[in-house]
Amino acid sequence: MHVASSRKKIAIIGTGYVGMACAIGFAEFGHTVVGYDILPERIRLLQRGMTPYREAGIAEALARHLSEERASFVEDFESAVDGADFIIIAVGTPSLSDGTADLSAVEAVVAQLSPLHLNGATVVLRSTVPPGTSDRVALALRGSAEVVYAPEFLREGSAVADFLSPDRVVAGAESAEAGQRYCALFSHLNRPMLVMSLIDAELVKAASNAFLAMKISFANQVANLCDGLEADALEVLGAVGHDRRIGSMFLHPGIGFGGPCFEKDLKSLIHVMNTANTNASLLEATLEINDRQPRRIVETIKDELGDDLSSFRFGVWGLTFKGGTNDLRDSLALRVVDEILAAGGQVVAYDPSYRDGATESQRFELADSALAAADADVLVVLTDWPQFAKIDERAIAARVRRRLVIDGRNVLDASALRDAGMTYRGIGRRRTVDSLELAETG
Ligand code: UGA
């Protein structure tokens, strides 16, 4: 643990994965954190050291900081913020049906803060908000607190590690001093500190997520072309990513991006662009490509088995929107499962986070191991859980009756599966032999 030169009291409003990464992260930096949530049952869970979501390293760190009294959780808003040097707002901003962000939770927190004597506390907004929101918050709190907008770049599943090791710290602020006060919390990390206006920082967040989503849709389009040309997208995109100007991260083709952030943030940004009369076609295409991408799985299945899937049982590996989480929100894996069911197929699914998930069991069966789910006609991989790649290919081949694997995340070893007698179809993967074998035989 880093021992902060001056220990601060930091109140965290909202204990979702962003708020909790902040709570654990600032406690690791040596500060005293007090968490508050509108859900009292969530607070009682956290007081007992339990978290409702799967995040690497969080359970151990939470237990440690609770016992060392660096972290506590309270059901009362005023006692959470009382005497705080920083008040971090990390509440949800979900999408409304027209694509705009629902800011009611942020507004409710600001309304609770407005009448309080905040004694010069710095209020730090970390929720993703449309440009202009932080200026309005600053106006509402003028005279009692200065406002900072600090966008978060945390990924679910690795949020604590991302918090402790940021590529950069961005602080939009009403005054340079307020921005620097917030940045000082991270000064020991020696990372770039970027202080700017509130609206610029809001746009850093929006543009970062839009760019990452665009990179994934780009990778998916290249992969779809590779499928059509019998080329290998992993070779192509791997080599493209070696160019430092491009970079290899977020160039992995698959069934598309899911989860609670990218689609919601893109829709919100498109809405803002439309309102500002700015062409949003690049972002609209990013969403459109992503919307179509999951259909590739059922198309590939039909290509192999014909249009009538009613006599087939599909073993599905993975339901969450990505490996390492227990989050099903906007999971494209669930979309693909629905499409298989709609085409008449039966589904038995395995996900390491949902061994007994009663909620899904109405529509399809849940298996309690990957190999139990592979006891099917066809195996379909929909989430990139790393443990799937470690399962012995011969054990897979011994179970999957039609000897067909559709790998929607390109996580399995195509050659080993082919050696075991399976037909392997990935996203942008050659149907027959891999390129090395091609080079050797050619
Ligand atoms: C994303 C951003 O990566 C974070 O920087 C940001 O803070 C967060 O949204 C947010 O705005 O709160 P997250 O949604 O947790 O984080 O997950 P990612 O790891 O970005 O993955 C999003 C989706 O894209 C997943 O479905 C993943 O499987 C998919 N993906 C990712 C790909 O299909 N290909 C890739 O190369 C990378």
Side-chain angles (χ1 to χ4, degrees):
M1 186 190 70
H2 165 83
V3 180
S5 49
S6 129
R7 180 176 289 196
K8 306 287 185 202
K9 176 180 171 184
I10 302 181
I12 314 276
I13 311 301
T15 58
Y17 87 95
V18 172
M20 278 308 292
C22 294
I24 298 294
F26 284 129
E28 289 285 322
F29 292 169
H31 301 292
T32 305
V33 299
V34 182
Y36 166 84
D37 201 289
I38 197 168
L39 301 171
E41 62 277 15
R42 167 79 64 88
I43 291 300
R44 289 195 282 271
L45 208 64
L46 290 166
Q47 284 167 340
R48 284 184 279 132
M50 291 156 80
T51 56
Y53 26 69
R54 189 176 175 129
E55 275 292 331
I58 203 168
E60 172 278 323
L62 178 61
R64 186 158 39 83
H65 292 305
L66 283 172
S67 78
E68 291 170 10
E69 295 181 353
R70 241 185 320 276
S72 60
F73 296 89
V74 295
E75 290 180 40
D76 173 48
F77 183 86
E78 285 193 31
S79 67
V81 300
D82 183 40
D85 300 292
F86 293 89
I87 299 166
I88 312 274
I89 305 177
V91 294
T93 51
S95 245
L96 292 170
S97 54
D98 64 353
T100 57
D102 177 356
L103 296 175
S104 54
V106 172
E107 285 158 3
V109 174
V110 174
Q112 277 178 292
L113 288 174
S114 298
L116 302 180
H117 295 291
L118 299 175
N119 300 323
T122 306
V123 171
V124 183
L125 186 55
R126 296 218 70 177
S127 310
T128 299
V129 293
T133 308
S134 304
D135 275 311
R136 286 196 296 280
V137 172
L139 200 61
L141 297 178
R142 186 134 304 154
S144 70
E146 274 198 290
V147 171
V148 166
Y149 180 71
E152 56 86 9
F153 308 107
L154 313 173
R155 290 162 300 172
E156 264 191 67
S158 57
V160 174
D162 288 348
F163 183 95
L164 296 174
S165 184
D167 286 345
R168 75 292 206 196
V169 176
V170 176
E174 282 187 275
S175 69
E177 295 72 34
Q180 278 148 10
R181 254 194 323 275
Y182 178 74
C183 286
L185 296 171
F186 298 86
S187 58
H188 60 285
L189 298 179
N190 248 339
R191 300 291 157 91
M193 306 278 184
L194 310 166
V195 177
M196 58 190 72
S197 73
L198 289 166
I199 196 163
D200 287 351
E202 289 168 334
L203 285 170
V204 170
K205 169 68 185 188
S208 298
N209 270 9
F211 190 84
L212 291 170
M214 186 185 72
K215 230 178 150 185
I216 298 169
S217 280
F218 176 83
N220 284 333
Q221 272 212 327
V222 171
N224 296 346
L225 174 66
C226 288
D227 268 334
L229 298 179
E230 279 290 296
D232 191 314
L234 297 196
E235 300 282 4
V236 176
L237 290 164
V240 168
H242 270 291
D243 186 325
R244 278 180 293 142
R245 292 170 302 174
I246 297 172
S248 59
M249 294 178 84
F250 282 71
L251 267 190
H252 305 292
I255 60 170
F257 54 80
C261 300
F262 283 161
E263 186 179 335
K264 162 187 89 98
D265 292 355
L266 275 172
K267 283 185 175 160
S268 167
L269 185 56
I270 290 170
H271 189 273
V272 171
M273 289 170 107
N274 287 339
T275 312
N277 270 333
T278 306
N279 183 295
S281 52
L282 185 59
L283 304 188
E284 282 159 357
T286 298
L287 272 183
E288 192 194 313
I289 293 163
N290 198 58
D291 202 46
R292 259 188 274 124
Q293 195 64 12
R295 289 186 225 150
R296 293 196 61 79
I297 299 297
V298 171
E299 282 164 12
T300 308
I301 293 172
K302 288 185 174 174
D303 187 35
E304 292 285 341
L305 303 176
D307 284 346
D308 181 8
L309 305 186
S310 59
S311 56
F312 300 110
R313 182 174 160 88
F314 295 85
V316 164
W317 283 0
L319 296 171
T320 51
F321 82 94
K322 66 173 182 178
T325 76
N326 59 355
D327 199 341
L328 295 175
R329 285 179 293 171
D330 290 310
S331 170
L332 294 182
L334 291 178
R335 172 110 63 93
V336 174
V337 166
D338 280 338
E339 286 176 8
I340 296 174
L341 294 171
Q346 293 162 41
V347 169
V348 50
Y350 169 73
D351 187 286
S353 288
Y354 283 90
R355 279 162 222 252
D356 57 354
T359 47
E360 296 304 322
S361 55
Q362 303 294 317
R363 292 185 294 134
F364 53 87
E365 264 176 66
L366 276 174
D368 60 9
S369 74
L371 283 178
D375 197 357
D377 293 302
V378 179
L379 178 62
V380 184
V381 182
L382 298 177
T383 306
D384 56 346
W385 285 96
Q387 52 266 53
F388 293 159
K390 296 190 185 124
I391 296 172
D392 181 27
E393 288 78 13
R394 284 160 307 181
I396 299 174
R399 282 167 178 79
V400 180
R401 291 184 282 281
R402 302 288 296 213
R403 304 209 146 240
L404 173 62
V405 178
I406 316 278
D407 185 356
R409 294 292 186 172
N410 294 334
V411 288
L412 302 185
D413 182 336
S415 343
L417 281 163
R418 285 184 184 129
D419 288 348
M422 305 285 292
T423 298
Y424 175 89
R425 299 281 305 266
I427 305 287
R429 309 299 306 281
R430 211 173 257 122
R431 286 181 208 199
T432 46
V433 285
D434 67 29
S435 55
L436 196 62
E437 287 167 283
L438 203 67
E440 280 166 2
T441 53

